[in-house]
Amino acid sequence: MEQYSVSGMTCAACQAHVEKAVRAVEGVESVNVSLLTNSMTVEGTASQESIVRAVEDAGYGAEPRRSGKSSTGRDLTNPDMPDFTAEEEALQDKETPKLLRRLKLSVVVLLVLMYITMGHNMLDWPVPGFLVHNHLGLALTQMLLALLVMVINRAFFISGFKSLRHGSPNMDTLVALGSSVSFLWSLYIMFRMTYMVTGGAGNMALMPLYHDQLYFESAAMIPALITVGKTLESLSKGRTTDALKQLLHMAPKTARVERDGEVLEVPIQEVKVSDIYIVKSGDAVPVDGVILEGTAAIDESALTGESIPVDKVTGDTVSAATISQSGYLRCQATRVGNDTTFAQIVQLVSDAAGTKAPIARIADRVSAVFVPAVMGIALVVFAVWLLKGAALAIALEHAITVLVISCPCALGLATPVAIMVGNGVGAKNGILFKTSESLENTGKINLVLLDKTGTITEGTPKVTDVLPVNASEEELLRVAYALESRSEHPLGSAVTKWCQGRVDLAEITDFQVLAGNGICGKIGNRKVTGGSAKFIQRKAELSEAIRTQSEALADQGKTPLFFEEDGKILGIIAVADTVREDSREAIQQLQSMGTEVVMVTGDNPKTAQAIAKEAGVKHVIAGVLPEGKEAVVRKLQEFGGVAMVGDGINDAPALTRADMGIAIGAGTDVAIDSADVVLMNSKLSDVAAAVRLSRGTLRNIHENLFWAFAYNILLIPMAAGLYPGISINPMWGAAAMSLSSFTVCMNALRLNLLKIHDRKKDRPLRKKGQNLSDIDEILNSLQNSKEENEMTTTVKINGMMCGHCEAHVKKALEALDGVESAVPSKDENNTVLTLSKEVAEDAVKAAVEDAGYEYVGMEK
């Protein structure tokens, strides 16, 4: 995708003409032109030269955004280095200062003109003696002042007549025609007055022409008032890109890098992967990296929208454009240039602004024919008034008013300004929409599929319960700490982290790992053991009460780890992949919006149901492969819009298939690349916030489009004189037109006030398609149809203790040719295989034993 800056566009009709011209170029697959940012994105194989030539032939200017040199003189042809300077230059408001200068000059001249036409003529304000009762002198003065205003605002006339010459009239054409016709008619009347004077006519004979048929003030007022509107519109349009400007402003410009034993401050473009750089308090992190030395509190609000600093220590990662609020860091660069998280965020927001929402196509189709249609209507109005017997001046007045009151700009801006502000609000809150279409459609979903691990849960095991039996809690933790500190098992790491800082680490000897069973060793002369219930019962007796506790923990999706000392049970430590703090609340919010929430996971049904119950999810599909998730999405799309929320590589197919793929920002690059929306905060509650923002933005677009269409539908007939007893002159028409676009822009800015985390105004979305009240029946039928077409076999396996053991067995068996899926259960000591063809038992046995577990047998 290539981006271009486009010059010369003034309204939605210009945008439509540029799109039409570029779309006709051979090799162009798609083109989107943004009136808001004066930019164009083009996809296809067409050369830059042919695209630029097509735009110029249409009467506009274009140049590639990412080529040549910026105004700073830096070479921009290196695609691996982000050009934030060029981006800032492209977004810089160059138009408003010009408009303000034109407006000031116009107002000064216009005040003098209005003093004569209204102050002197209507209120008898004084004028120089040589102009008193000198109608020809007054008319000549008005002509010169009007001509001066028209010269000041000559841009309207140059653009308007140029586009008319190219056969693509725009809004400036309407302004130029209205003002020019008013001026030329007034000029004709003035010459007619001079002719009458030469024939001996007195002042009384000239007065009707002077007072009733001179429109010099209209000829000047039309471009002046349109300039007022353009200035207000430009100011408000500039504010809609504030979020992207703020992002670009945060881009670090230099870095402190270690070179040859010295710390040098170098431009950010010179930092390379593996360079060592220094971050002091108050510094912006220059590039993504890993901390080698030091600690700091890092403000990551530029990426996540969260204002609370995050404590970073050795081994943690840091991201470009985040700010060190305190501390000292020595880091190694891991990603630079366009690869940094910050550069990717800027690119996402910029690309989203360059795409077009589907709803904008309605306005685009209207804008493409709007100006020619208005010109035709003006001619018809002129002819009808003449046929009715009206004076030529009256017919011209109505035709001119029709020209100047019509506003295609409000139509063209209705969607892009709202999309730009909505994207900005999302970026400030860590919610990134990759395209305008994703921002529009996120609010339309009525089914949300959630992956379990890393989405609903934290994705890492944590200690949830400590249950001493024949020892104190301190003694239980001391033994567990000593054993698990030597273990490399993920559950052991969870126990070790929990014990750190709570008890001292005892020295352990004769440590042994019994793969798939447990661990043992000696503390002093005492023999200690840890492991599953099945393993530990060989070492010590488990009472009925302990077994009941263990089963209750397992029912909650937790893994109970038993510890004993010299044949005496010390207690149980339960470990689980815990549900995120905000998951339950987030799921409730989605449900309150009328959205059905379904958990789709590859885990066994028992664990999945336990997690679902804790998180408040009513619908669960367990034991699903990545391609199975994609199939579930495809099936449910028959019943409504489906969003898939995930974070792993295994979620990528489903994220791509879903109507809306939503990736957790802490997830894998593959998942993020496959998604339409990225949640940088990795909070599930941001899914509901994204839905609210989408619905709020779409509502704002509807308001803007209603205003734009209603304005033209109501006021064009008024300008034509179709409403009995109501008439409007060209000056008031120009004033109305000048405010229409400004109103649309200001309405879009109201989105900045939208509280996307406030659920008080949540309302269910009216669902389309099949009623999803019977979703359980739909999911069951989906599961049953899947099972009918599959061969299954059960493998008996001993030694699985936890979810990670299950994952290990699952990975080993799914690597076999012919095994479509493997669903292990540590509680049942088996694994259910789904086969696409027969698999040799010897191969299954070898896979299980190579993974470190005991193979018992297979049964159909």
Side-chain angles (χ1 to χ4, degrees):
M1 182 170 66
E2 294 184 346
Q3 291 191 340
Y4 297 79
S5 293
V6 182
S7 58
M9 294 192 300
T10 58
C11 72
C14 299
Q15 173 184 299
H17 295 316
V18 172
E19 281 191 359
K20 183 179 179 181
V22 174
R23 195 173 284 116
V25 175
E26 186 177 353
V28 171
E29 295 174 5
S30 68
V31 56
N32 283 309
V33 179
S34 172
L35 176 64
L36 182 63
T37 57
N38 290 316
S39 64
M40 174 175 66
T41 57
V42 181
E43 291 185 3
T45 58
S47 66
Q48 291 183 347
E49 292 76 13
S50 62
I51 291 170
V52 170
R53 187 164 56 251
V55 175
E56 290 175 346
D57 289 345
Y60 305 90
E63 61 178 1
R65 252 191 196 181
R66 299 178 185 273
S67 62
K69 294 190 175 185
S70 70
S71 62
T72 60
R74 187 170 69 82
D75 186 5
L76 307 179
T77 57
N78 180 4
D80 296 324
M81 195 56 60
D83 179 27
F84 295 128
T85 304
E87 290 279 1
E88 285 186 279
E89 287 175 358
L91 286 174
Q92 187 179 352
D93 188 359
K94 305 182 183 76
E95 197 63 27
T96 301
K98 296 178 185 176
L99 287 168
L100 283 171
R101 283 195 297 273
R102 278 168 49 185
L103 182 59
K104 290 174 184 176
L105 291 171
S106 298
V107 168
V108 171
V109 179
L110 199 60
L111 285 174
V112 179
L113 177 58
M114 297 309 291
Y115 182 92
I116 296 172
T117 58
M118 298 184 72
H120 174 68
N121 293 344
M122 298 173 64
L123 303 175
D124 201 26
W125 289 358
V127 292
F130 63 86
L131 289 177
V132 175
H133 300 305
N134 181 358
H135 291 108
L136 279 179
L138 288 168
L140 180 61
T141 304
Q142 289 183 40
M143 183 199 75
L144 293 174
L145 291 171
L147 190 61
L148 185 55
V149 173
M150 293 167 73
V151 170
I152 292 169
N153 294 285
R154 60 189 175 278
F156 287 128
F157 300 89
I158 295 170
S159 169
F161 290 121
K162 183 180 178 182
S163 64
L164 186 62
R165 189 174 70 251
H166 282 88
S168 54
N170 58 16
M171 187 205 74
D172 289 348
T173 307
L174 299 179
V175 175
L177 284 175
S179 180
S180 298
V181 170
S182 297
F183 184 85
L184 292 173
W185 172 257
S186 301
L187 194 61
Y188 161 72
I189 294 299
M190 192 178 78
F191 278 113
R192 187 174 162 188
M193 289 169 62
T194 59
Y195 175 75
M196 291 173 64
V197 169
T198 58
N203 271 337
M204 292 301 293
L206 297 178
M207 285 182 67
L209 290 177
Y210 176 79
H211 286 290
D212 298 333
Q213 296 196 42
L214 280 182
Y215 290 102
F216 284 124
E217 76 277 13
S218 292
M221 187 68 80
I222 288 169
L225 284 175
I226 300 302
T227 300
V228 172
K230 282 285 185 183
T231 304
L232 294 174
E233 177 189 320
S234 183
L235 287 167
S236 56
K237 277 167 60 179
R239 288 180 58 192
T240 64
T241 58
D242 281 350
L244 187 51
K245 290 174 186 172
Q246 288 170 9
L247 268 179
L248 293 169
H249 184 67
M250 293 176 186
K253 305 294 189 295
T254 60
R256 292 189 177 95
V257 180
E258 291 185 2
R259 297 274 168 85
D260 300 324
E262 295 183 34
V263 177
L264 304 175
E265 188 166 330
V266 301
I268 198 71
Q269 293 81 15
E270 295 182 13
V271 181
K272 299 179 178 63
V273 174
S274 298
D275 276 354
I276 306 299
Y277 62 87
I278 306 299
V279 180
K280 297 181 179 180
S281 179
D283 285 354
V285 176
V287 295
D288 291 2
V290 61
I291 299 173
L292 302 177
E293 178 185 327
T295 61
I298 301 292
D299 177 2
E300 296 185 334
S301 58
L303 306 185
T304 66
E306 289 287 339
S307 57
I308 300 174
V310 179
D311 292 329
K312 298 283 186 177
V313 297
T314 301
D316 287 347
T317 58
V318 289
S319 299
T322 56
I323 308 295
S324 173
Q325 293 193 338
S326 63
Y328 173 93
L329 296 177
R330 185 170 174 267
C331 308
Q332 185 173 37
T334 56
R335 294 195 293 187
V336 301
N338 285 329
D339 292 332
T340 66
T341 303
F342 177 75
Q344 290 171 10
I345 289 174
V346 171
Q347 192 63 49
L348 279 175
V349 177
S350 179
D351 286 350
T355 60
K356 187 162 291 182
I359 196 171
R361 292 166 193 155
I362 303 169
D364 286 348
R365 285 194 291 268
V366 174
S367 299
V369 298
F370 185 87
V371 174
V374 167
M375 292 170 65
I377 291 170
L379 284 173
V380 170
V381 167
F382 176 72
V384 168
W385 276 100
L386 286 179
L387 291 172
K388 287 177 63 178
L392 183 60
I394 299 298
L396 271 177
E397 181 175 313
H398 283 293
I400 292 167
T401 306
V402 167
L403 288 174
V404 299
I405 207 170
S406 307
C407 186
C409 280
L411 282 172
L413 291 171
T415 298
V417 291
I419 290 290
M420 178 61 84
V421 178
N423 267 315
V425 172
K428 280 191 250 181
N429 288 276
I431 302 170
L432 304 179
F433 297 91
K434 288 189 176 179
T435 63
S436 299
E437 185 173 359
S438 62
L439 176 56
E440 177 183 337
N441 290 335
T442 298
K444 298 177 181 179
I445 59 174
N446 49 24
L447 260 170
V448 175
L449 273 60
L450 303 177
D451 175 51
K452 179 184 78 70
T453 307
T455 302
I456 294 178
T457 66
E458 295 286 356
T460 54
K462 293 182 179 179
V463 171
T464 59
D465 302 88
V466 178
L467 306 173
V469 178
N470 296 312
S472 66
E473 181 175 319
E474 183 179 351
E475 180 62 19
L476 170 61
L477 291 178
R478 196 172 72 85
V479 171
Y481 192 10
L483 282 168
E484 300 293 4
S485 65
R486 301 285 294 274
S487 171
E488 295 180 358
H489 197 284
L491 297 185
S493 300
V495 173
T496 300
K497 286 181 182 178
W498 176 263
C499 293
Q500 286 173 347
R502 288 182 168 85
V503 293
D504 294 331
L505 178 62
E507 184 179 350
I508 192 164
T509 58
D510 297 338
F511 178 78
Q512 283 184 291
V513 176
L514 308 173
N517 289 291
I519 50 180
C520 64
K522 285 186 177 181
I523 300 177
N525 295 322
R526 293 169 296 159
K527 189 170 183 180
V528 292
T529 310
S532 66
K534 186 173 181 180
F535 172 69
I536 216 76
Q537 68 184 4
R538 304 174 193 169
K539 307 288 183 180
E541 184 180 349
L542 298 181
S543 67
E544 191 62 34
I546 294 175
R547 291 180 187 276
T548 302
Q549 279 185 314
S550 175
E551 289 170 3
L553 292 169
D555 288 340
Q556 297 171 39
K558 301 173 182 177
T559 301
L561 301 177
F562 290 79
F563 295 90
E564 65 86 28
E565 180 182 270
D566 291 333
K568 180 180 69 174
I569 294 295
L570 299 178
I572 304 171
I573 296 178
V575 180
D577 184 6
T578 55
V579 172
R580 291 177 182 267
E581 289 182 6
D582 70 326
S583 288
R584 189 175 186 87
E585 171 67 17
I587 289 164
Q588 287 177 349
Q589 290 184 26
L590 287 169
Q591 290 166 343
S592 71
M593 294 176 177
T595 303
E596 296 287 356
V597 179
V598 181
M599 187 172 83
V600 184
T601 177
D603 284 349
N604 65 75
K606 194 170 186 178
T607 301
Q609 288 290 350
I611 294 294
K613 183 177 180 181
E614 185 179 352
V617 179
K618 299 175 184 176
H619 314 292
V620 179
I621 305 179
V624 182
L625 279 173
E627 56 267 32
K629 291 180 183 179
E630 189 265 349
V632 170
V633 171
R634 188 169 60 247
K635 178 66 177 176
L636 291 176
Q637 283 175 322
E638 298 175 13
F639 308 106
V642 176
M644 175 70 196
V645 184
D647 72 324
I649 293 174
N650 63 331
D651 298 318
L655 289 168
T656 304
R657 166 64 63 180
D659 298 292
M660 201 53 53
I662 302 176
I664 300 293
T668 63
D669 290 341
V670 174
I672 292 171
D673 289 343
S674 303
D676 303 290
V677 183
V678 180
L679 308 180
M680 295 303 298
N681 287 333
S682 299
K683 288 183 177 178
L684 194 55
S685 56
D686 280 349
V687 176
V691 172
R692 281 191 204 97
L693 178 56
S694 172
R695 291 182 182 179
T697 302
L698 194 58
R699 186 166 55 247
N700 192 277
I701 291 172
H702 287 153
E703 292 166 356
N704 285 346
L705 286 174
F706 173 81
W707 165 255
F709 280 111
Y711 165 87
N712 286 291
I713 290 170
L714 292 174
L715 292 191
I716 289 177
M718 182 184 292
L722 295 183
Y723 300 154
I726 301 176
S727 62
I728 184 170
N729 65 35
M731 285 190 294
W732 287 111
M737 181 187 179
S738 69
L739 292 175
S740 59
S741 300
F742 173 68
T743 305
V744 165
C745 292
M746 292 306 294
N747 185 54
L749 289 172
R750 289 193 310 112
L751 280 172
N752 285 310
L753 305 176
L754 183 65
K755 297 177 181 178
I756 64 173
H757 293 288
D758 186 356
R759 60 181 295 184
K760 292 177 183 176
K761 296 182 180 179
D762 287 347
R763 296 289 184 274
L765 183 70
R766 190 175 67 181
K767 299 173 184 177
K768 298 177 181 179
Q770 180 170 329
N771 186 354
L772 290 173
S773 60
D774 57 348
I775 188 171
D776 283 320
E777 184 180 334
I778 297 168
L779 296 176
N780 287 335
S781 66
L782 179 64
Q783 189 78 34
N784 293 336
S785 64
K786 174 177 174 284
E787 291 171 357
E788 287 171 3
N789 297 315
E790 293 170 342
M791 293 188 296
T792 61
T793 188
T794 302
V795 183
K796 292 290 185 179
I797 301 172
N798 285 336
M800 293 187 293
M801 296 170 54
C802 65
H804 292 276
C805 292
E806 291 175 335
H808 196 191
V809 170
K810 180 181 176 73
K811 182 178 179 181
L813 290 173
E814 287 180 353
L816 296 175
D817 183 30
V819 176
E820 290 294 315
S821 70
V823 182
S825 172
K826 66 182 187 300
D827 301 310
E828 303 293 335
N829 291 320
N830 66 24
T831 298
V832 178
L833 302 182
T834 301
L835 308 176
S836 60
K837 64 181 182 180
E838 291 290 339
V839 178
E841 184 174 355
D842 290 343
V844 174
K845 181 181 179 182
V848 171
E849 291 177 347
D850 288 346
Y853 299 90
E854 180 186 349
Y855 173 81
V856 178
M858 283 177 66
E859 59 184 37
K860 295 290 184 182

